[in-house]
Amino acid sequence: MKKIIIINGPNLNLLGKREPTIYGSSSFEDFYKALKEKYSEVELDYFQSNIEGELINKLHEVGFDFDGIVLNAAAYTHTSVGIGDAVKGLETPVVEVHISNVHSREEFRHVSFIAPNTKGVITGFGLQSYELAIQSFL
Ligand code: DQA
């Protein structure tokens, strides 16, 4: 069984409540439950933190063992040299995802410290971005 983890960064615990015109109105928990059912052949895991160091610790924990990491580092994508370095040091391939199309938004969102060390980036497909990333590992 393939082991894939979704790691969500800051403010993504508020999905469904936060800026629904940009991020939609479903909670991540409901979406994750449906994903787990749909991809029952995958050992799917999920972790969310608002704290940069906790995200780095989780990347270290899974990054030599899992088959794929789906990472939405949210705002840290655009600021964190630490998360970028962590991703660079892992063996497990990482796909960077975003719910919104970061390239159609403010200029500071066009920068990613993570993207250069990933398998690829999926941005702008709503929650479906996560599903597309999972498919890329199968
Ligand atoms: C986001 C895009 C980021 O720019 C933003 O800071 C987020 C969410 C997205 O999924 O669209 O918090 O990663």
Side-chain angles (χ1 to χ4, degrees):
M1 228 189 200
K2 283 207 169 166
K3 277 163 70 166
I4 298 175
I5 185 166
I6 296 172
I7 299 181
N8 269 345
N11 304 308
L12 293 171
N13 54 309
L14 293 182
L15 274 180
K17 291 184 209 150
R18 167 196 185 206
E19 301 183 85
T21 52
I22 299 176
Y23 299 113
S25 50
S26 9
S27 78
F28 196 81
E29 283 66 25
D30 289 345
F31 171 72
Y32 176 62
K33 217 173 133 201
L35 260 190
K36 270 190 92 91
E37 277 166 26
K38 186 163 176 189
Y39 293 91
S40 56
E41 79 277 20
V42 175
E43 200 179 310
L44 196 59
D45 227 316
Y46 168 56
F47 177 79
Q48 190 276 330
S49 178
N50 296 319
I51 300 165
E52 190 174 8
E54 286 187 0
L55 294 166
I56 294 173
N57 283 343
K58 182 52 86 174
L59 287 166
H60 293 174
E61 193 185 310
V62 299
F64 297 88
D65 180 29
F66 276 56
D67 299 295
I69 298 171
V70 178
L71 176 62
N72 186 349
Y76 289 143
T77 308
H78 320 301
T79 62
S80 178
V81 174
I83 295 177
D85 281 354
V87 166
K88 197 172 183 179
L90 305 180
E91 276 170 12
T92 301
V94 175
V95 171
E96 174 182 326
V97 303
H98 300 284
I99 297 164
S100 63
N101 178 356
V102 288
H103 298 290
S104 68
R105 300 180 65 194
E106 303 94 324
E107 206 149 310
F108 66 84
R109 294 185 206 276
H110 302 179
V111 173
S112 171
F113 286 96
I114 295 165
N117 303 308
T118 60
K119 189 171 174 233
V121 180
I122 300 170
T123 184
F125 296 92
L127 289 175
Q128 211 199 334
S129 294
Y130 292 92
E131 188 172 351
L132 295 169
I134 288 169
Q135 284 171 4
S136 79
F137 289 121
L138 301 181

